[in-house]
Amino acid sequence: MRFEIDERQPIYRQIVEALIRQIACGEWPPGGKLPSIREVAAAARVNPNTVARAFQELERTGLAETRRGEGTFVTTDTEAIKACREKTAREIWTDFLRKMRELGFTNEEVRRLAAELKEE
Amino acid sequence: MSHPVVMLEKVEKRYPLTKALDGVSLTIDRGQVVGLLGHNGSGKTTLLKIIAGLKNPTNGRVRVFGLAPGVETKKRVAYLPEVNTYYGWMTVDELINFVKAFHPDLDLEKAAGLKTFMNLNGAVKIGALSKGQQARLKLVVGLARQADLMLLDEPLAGIDPPSRARILEALVGEFRQEGQTIIISTHEVKEAEAIFDHVVFLRKGRIVLEGEAETLRAETGHSMEELFGEVLE
Amino acid sequence: MKMFYALYRKELSGARNTFLTLLGLIFGFDVFLTFRIKSLGYNLVFGLSFLPLAFLCFWGIFRPLALTRGEWKEGTAPFLRSLPVDGWRILGAKLLAAFTEWVGLNLATFLLSGLFYAAAPLFGAERLPLMKVTSWTETLKLMMMIGLTYVIGILLGAVICQLSFLLGRLVNRFTGLVSLASTILLVYLTSKGSELLAEILTFLPFISIEDPSPNLDIRLLQSASFSVSLALLIEFTLLFFVSGWVMEKKVEF
């Protein structure tokens, strides 16, 4: 369990994103128990209140649910996880495309570049 | 009605030649970890001492749990000053037992767990501990209690990096009591900034900026360390 | 009460090394004297064995001050003050611990002198004759009276020193000067006060002590009179409360 934190951005959002990424790539399997707030706080050396807020956000995405007195669990809904994985991929892709446009690349050029880079 | 943990209204502390605090108003709610940030001589220590009941303000009103600082508030406060203030001739265990006589809320089992976590030997005399060990000892004594308010003055200053890491981990990990309010003064923001809910920037006895750390990050795109450099120059 | 006891025990443990050193010194002094019996003579040595009492008179006055001052010197004052106890208990525990130590050292001195007295035949000397007394109970009363006045006097001196030190802590500069001035002023005030109080208190019924021995000076009786002890006790109580208040409300850490 590792968290790279950039203190210039709200920390809770980075924790949410990190957890989503970890769930998406299967580090926390469907239906499995997530580490406790305290554990995440200690590992990331981050305020537990911040982590609690991140967990709330995470629940709102539907990827995890908190059972009273038991802890927080990854959803068993593998479709939702898959969807989330795709959504994250889309976000990365969109962000990538936006940056490419800023550099003045057209879709055609991007496609050509992708093919070229694949061959390397 | 529940009172804020700490309430300061226009608090001033004057000395013959200087003004340590110049009209500080501040409210701290339950369960927050507050970073009191400022350079040396900005009034952080004075402010903590006033809250702890070790100094009296020249002017203004101070309320801790709705009460004027005194014996009653001290029962619920753990004040951990920057320098070692424990008796050098006591051993670590003797100190824990001594504190227990004044604070029945001290949990001996938890103290034992903390000693292990902080890698301290109970039979060693405090005077023989290194600076880092003494800093860790303070945290053992402070966290073993169920104190509602913990005041930490420069817990990281001048100690070795492994000790710093241990201290920060203890402050956010399993040892911290639910709902405990912590005020931490420091001028070394980088390592500690992720553990703050709320930050208060103090400069020459005045608050120059105050707010939720996450909100300030979102609004300014700066880390607390960068803000520290910006607002306190 | 539990907190006071914890403070008291802390003071005793903290003072243990000093106490043991002094005890060793007194013992060593007496051992030294035994080796000097031949050259100095038994009577002189027996008299000299009481010498530590003169030193202890000062020790009793300054020891509580040293214990209080030590908290600042060692940098432990902020910790002490962060404990949920009031100033009276902190100072009281110091007074009581210093007093316990003082009583112990006095008893040790007396005990060793007693040994000298009992062991006279071993050194080939005669035991010194005891004073002829008409009534043992009266003698005992008289000795208690004198002892009590002495003890209260020591305590009063101790509390004056403690208070002067605390008054010195109230200013940021010239701390020592303020303490010194306070000591002089307080000694003056208490001596005037005790004279006055003792006079006022003469109306109280006295424990009458009859002259227990024909060769005792009656003036001793007067100085040990009940009203003086009571006057000193009143002053001690008053100053103790003032110092507790100063500690609680005024001194900063």
Side-chain angles (χ1 to χ4, degrees):
Chain A
M1 186 168 47
R2 281 194 55 193
F3 297 91
E4 300 277 333
I5 284 170
D6 172 11
E7 280 92 359
R8 281 175 294 244
Q9 301 298 323
I11 291 169
Y12 82 94
R13 228 183 277 152
Q14 299 176 55
I15 292 177
V16 177
E17 281 160 17
L19 287 171
I20 289 178
R21 239 178 290 127
Q22 288 167 5
I23 290 171
C25 72
E27 198 176 328
W28 308 110
K33 193 167 183 270
L34 281 173
S36 71
I37 292 178
R38 294 277 168 123
E39 282 163 351
V40 174
R45 279 192 211 117
V46 160
N47 187 318
N49 295 342
T50 310
V51 181
R53 191 170 163 195
F55 272 46
Q56 279 171 13
E57 285 293 310
L58 187 65
E59 267 185 77
R60 213 166 295 155
T61 64
L63 283 180
E65 57 171 357
T66 298
R67 289 180 219 149
R68 202 169 260 278
E70 284 182 74
T72 308
F73 293 83
V74 180
T75 180
T76 47
D77 183 353
T78 44
E79 287 305 311
I81 295 173
K82 219 183 267 170
C84 166
R85 193 158 157 258
E86 228 174 272
K87 192 177 154 234
T88 314
R90 266 175 210 283
E91 274 166 14
I92 294 171
W93 186 249
T94 322
D95 193 46
F96 166 73
L97 279 184
R98 184 178 54 75
K99 281 181 185 154
M100 292 308 272
R101 294 240 166 76
E102 273 169 18
L103 283 174
F105 280 78
T106 62
N107 282 358
E108 252 333 285
E109 280 174 307
V110 171
R111 218 168 281 143
R112 180 179 51 79
L113 199 66
E116 251 174 52
L117 289 173
K118 207 183 346 182
E119 273 156 31
E120 270 176 22
Chain B
M1 185 194 132
S2 82
H3 298 278
V5 175
V6 176
M7 200 178 70
L8 306 173
E9 276 173 16
K10 296 186 185 128
V11 170
E12 272 184 32
K13 181 68 188 175
R14 254 178 276 155
Y15 293 112
L17 298 174
T18 49
K19 228 176 195 183
L21 293 176
D22 190 4
V24 170
S25 297
L26 182 65
T27 304
I28 292 169
D29 292 320
R30 185 171 178 274
Q32 296 225 301
V33 180
V34 179
L36 192 57
L37 312 177
H39 291 294
N40 287 330
S42 58
K44 296 176 303 217
T45 300
T46 307
L47 194 60
L48 289 182
K49 283 189 170 181
I50 285 177
I51 297 170
L54 270 65
K55 281 187 187 293
N56 307 314
T58 318
N59 276 312
R61 218 166 82 104
V62 181
R63 288 290 176 272
V64 179
F65 312 115
L67 303 164
V71 172
E72 279 312 305
T73 64
K74 284 175 186 173
K75 285 181 186 166
R76 301 170 62 186
V77 174
Y79 169 65
L80 309 172
E82 178 177 2
V83 289
N84 175 46
T85 56
Y86 299 135
Y87 297 95
W89 52 266
M90 281 188 186
T91 64
V92 169
D93 284 338
E94 279 168 354
L95 173 75
I96 290 170
N97 286 320
F98 180 66
V99 173
K100 169 98 179 143
F102 298 89
H103 295 290
D105 63 358
L106 189 143
D107 181 343
L108 289 175
E109 245 173 70
K110 199 175 171 193
L114 277 158
K115 261 190 309 184
T116 315
F117 180 78
M118 293 293 189
N119 200 10
L120 287 173
N121 179 349
V124 175
K125 283 208 161 45
I126 293 165
L129 297 176
S130 71
K131 210 168 172 227
Q133 287 171 322
Q134 285 175 347
R136 280 182 270 148
L137 173 63
K138 274 189 291 187
L139 270 289
V140 171
V141 175
L143 286 168
R145 286 184 49 203
Q146 312 281 312
D148 293 320
L149 173 62
M150 189 148 84
L151 304 171
L152 275 164
D153 197 2
E154 296 280 3
L156 306 174
I159 59 168
D160 53 298
S163 290
R164 291 168 183 236
R166 277 275 125 144
I167 286 171
L168 286 173
E169 207 175 320
L171 282 173
V172 292
E174 51 175 325
F175 293 112
R176 187 183 160 216
Q177 185 206 329
E178 202 67 50
Q180 187 173 47
T181 309
I182 307 180
I183 308 179
I184 303 170
S185 91
T186 184
H187 65 273
E188 292 165 87
V189 187
K190 189 170 172 49
E191 275 168 280
E193 79 159 86
I195 75 168
F196 302 137
D197 289 291
H198 199 95
V199 286
V200 177
F201 291 92
L202 209 58
R203 182 172 184 257
K204 290 182 182 163
R206 287 170 186 266
I207 294 178
V208 288
L209 179 67
E210 186 210 332
E212 296 298 319
E214 293 281 70
T215 314
L216 287 173
R217 283 187 190 105
E219 279 172 3
T220 64
H222 286 309
S223 65
M224 296 306 104
E225 190 199 9
E226 289 167 341
L227 282 179
F228 185 91
E230 232 165 73
V231 300
L232 298 181
E233 273 325 305
Chain C
M1 207 51 219
K2 194 178 154 208
M3 294 187 196
F4 180 78
Y5 181 64
L7 283 174
Y8 174 63
R9 281 212 18 211
K10 182 223 102 188
E11 296 298 342
L12 283 185
S13 328
R16 190 168 47 209
N17 285 349
T18 315
F19 175 74
L20 291 177
T21 309
L22 282 178
L23 205 62
L25 278 176
I26 291 173
F27 191 76
F29 179 63
D30 283 347
V31 170
F32 167 78
L33 285 179
T34 25
F35 287 109
R36 283 285 172 277
I37 287 178
K38 268 202 188 121
S39 55
L40 295 175
Y42 173 78
N43 285 359
L44 181 59
V45 162
F46 178 60
L48 282 176
S49 74
F50 287 98
L51 201 64
L53 292 183
F55 158 76
L56 286 177
C57 164
F58 293 101
W59 186 253
I61 290 174
F62 290 115
R63 186 62 172 150
L65 166 70
L67 292 181
T68 312
R69 199 168 155 259
E71 301 283 357
W72 270 269
K73 248 178 81 183
E74 308 291 325
T76 49
F79 169 56
L80 187 67
R81 199 65 195 102
S82 74
L83 298 170
V85 280
D86 51 48
W88 291 279
R89 267 172 233 214
I90 292 174
L91 293 176
K94 289 187 182 300
L95 272 178
L96 191 62
F99 185 65
T100 311
E101 185 189 72
W102 183 78
V103 168
L105 292 171
N106 274 295
L107 282 181
T109 310
F110 274 119
L111 204 75
L112 290 169
S113 297
L115 274 179
F116 266 110
Y117 178 78
L122 282 180
F123 305 116
E126 295 270 311
R127 281 205 182 106
L128 290 173
L130 281 176
M131 205 187 287
K132 274 209 170 54
V133 290
T134 46
S135 155
W136 271 108
T137 46
E138 292 303 304
T139 314
L140 217 61
K141 259 199 225 168
L142 177 69
M143 282 169 69
M144 294 266 286
M145 211 69 235
I146 297 171
L148 195 70
T149 316
Y150 179 58
V151 164
I152 298 173
I154 295 279
L155 285 174
L156 180 62
V159 88
I160 287 176
C161 288
Q162 258 189 349
L163 178 55
S164 304
F165 171 74
L166 292 178
L167 291 174
R169 299 291 324 172
L170 295 184
V171 291
N172 293 309
R173 292 148 160 246
F174 310 116
T175 304
L177 216 59
V178 171
S179 295
L180 188 68
S182 312
T183 316
I184 295 168
L185 187 71
L186 283 170
V187 170
Y188 174 77
L189 285 178
T190 42
S191 57
K192 280 281 163 212
S194 51
E195 268 174 40
L196 205 72
L197 271 171
E199 213 153 293
I200 297 170
L201 291 169
T202 40
F203 73 88
L204 284 171
F206 279 101
I207 303 167
S208 68
I209 301 172
E210 280 160 37
D211 219 348
S213 168
N215 44 16
L216 251 189
D217 197 335
I218 196 73
R219 266 178 303 168
L220 248 179
L221 275 182
Q222 279 170 341
S223 78
S225 70
F226 189 56
S227 58
V228 174
S229 334
L230 198 62
L232 294 182
L233 187 64
I234 290 171
E235 285 184 327
F236 166 76
T237 316
L238 188 76
L239 289 185
F240 177 66
F241 272 95
V242 173
S243 26
W245 181 81
V246 172
M247 180 84 165
E248 182 67 21
K249 301 284 180 203
K250 293 291 160 199
V251 179
E252 305 217 319
F253 294 83

